[in-house]
Amino acid sequence: MSETILPSGFDPDRLACVAFDADDTLWHNERFFKLTQERFAELLAPHADITTLDTRLMQAERRNLGHYGFGIKGFVLSMIETALEVTDNTVPGPVIADLIAAGQEMLRHPIDLLPHATEAVTAAKSRGPVLLVTKGDLLDQERKLAQSGLGDLFDGVEIVSDKRPDVYTRIFAAHGGVARGMMIGNSMKSDVRPMIDAGGFGAFVPHDLAWDFEAAEAPDGHDRYLALPDLGALPDVLNTRG
């Protein structure tokens, strides 16, 4: 994507509140999952090929979302479960220990902001309330926000188990209503489509890496869908006049 796409007649003055996703919208996240998954494949290479491992791990993650939710802890447990499955419960103890250590390393990794993150949140803040709406482990998301240096810019932080239309309706109710809200994120499935279904504006900002679970069709042509090439385009979008 190389250009900004706005619905016809878009007027930012209609917005009462802007919200941002966190992982892979404001700071890097998925690349650490990819690196750990590569390590997982190396450790289990004597037992299964990489395609089989990737497929079985994805199946385990999907099964376990209802148990563990989104985040690193659920990912590690799914890796351990997959390791047990592909080895018929004979996976060596040191392999399990390595997987746990890899998860702990992910939880300790310093935050690396994406380009224009600070400028984008600051631009939104200059117009009104700004929220952070993210999924994942509570402690891990709180840690990342604290380390990001962006915490003081947000008027509210919502760490939710999933992002559904009713969740967005509830969150924006205290900030002018969902119809006057905008959700910005890198996931069509979680950030854009459910926000639009709730009656708000959904703004998509792509990221080079994406989890297959978050894939969904873009609502092209919808009068509440925006597409930005990156966060650097947001200040101009917020100054657009319909």
Side-chain angles (χ1 to χ4, degrees), residues 44 47-48 53 56 63 77-96:
L44 275 299
H47 305 280
L53 289 168
R56 298 287 287 275
R63 286 196 308 269
L77 289 169
S78 293
M79 287 195 296
I80 292 173
E81 181 178 316
T82 304
L84 289 166
E85 289 177 352
V86 300
T87 64
D88 294 323
N89 294 324
T90 63
V91 58
V95 172
I96 299 296

Side-chain angles (χ1 to χ4, degrees), residues 40-216:
F40 168 75
E42 292 174 1
L43 290 168
L44 275 299
H47 305 280
D49 62 79
I50 189 169
T51 300
T52 298
L53 289 168
D54 286 350
T55 300
R56 298 287 287 275
L57 178 58
M58 175 59 75
Q59 291 171 344
E61 288 183 275
R62 289 181 181 274
R63 286 196 308 269
N64 290 332
L65 280 175
H67 299 296
Y68 311 133
F70 296 87
I72 293 172
K73 295 174 186 176
F75 177 61
V76 172
L77 289 169
S78 293
M79 287 195 296
I80 292 173
E81 181 178 316
T82 304
L84 289 166
E85 289 177 352
V86 300
T87 64
D88 294 323
N89 294 324
T90 63
V91 58
V95 172
I96 299 296
D98 279 351
L99 294 176
I100 293 172
Q104 292 172 340
E105 176 62 25
M106 292 175 72
L107 290 167
R108 290 193 298 266
H109 206 284
I111 291 304
D112 184 9
L113 289 178
L114 283 159
H116 314 295
T118 302
E119 296 90 332
V121 179
T122 301
K125 176 72 172 177
S126 70
R127 298 183 57 86
V130 178
L131 308 177
L132 184 76
V133 183
T134 183
K135 298 183 297 191
D137 296 318
L138 176 63
L139 292 178
D140 188 35
Q141 294 299 77
E142 288 179 338
R143 173 190 68 85
K144 288 187 282 190
L145 178 59
Q147 291 183 3
S148 72
L150 301 176
D152 290 342
L153 294 175
F154 293 105
D155 297 285
V157 176
E158 295 277 351
I159 301 174
V160 299
S161 60
D162 203 356
K163 293 176 175 177
R164 304 182 307 272
D166 62 298
V167 172
Y168 286 122
T169 298
R170 173 186 63 78
I171 290 172
F172 283 90
H175 301 279
V178 71
R180 298 185 63 200
M182 176 188 285
M183 180 67 195
I184 301 169
N186 72 301
S187 171
M188 283 290 182
K189 183 175 182 179
S190 295
D191 300 319
V192 177
R193 296 194 67 99
M195 181 62 174
I196 291 175
D197 289 343
F201 290 92
F204 178 67
V205 181
H207 187 272
D208 291 342
L209 299 175
W211 187 26
D212 290 342
F213 182 82
E214 296 292 346

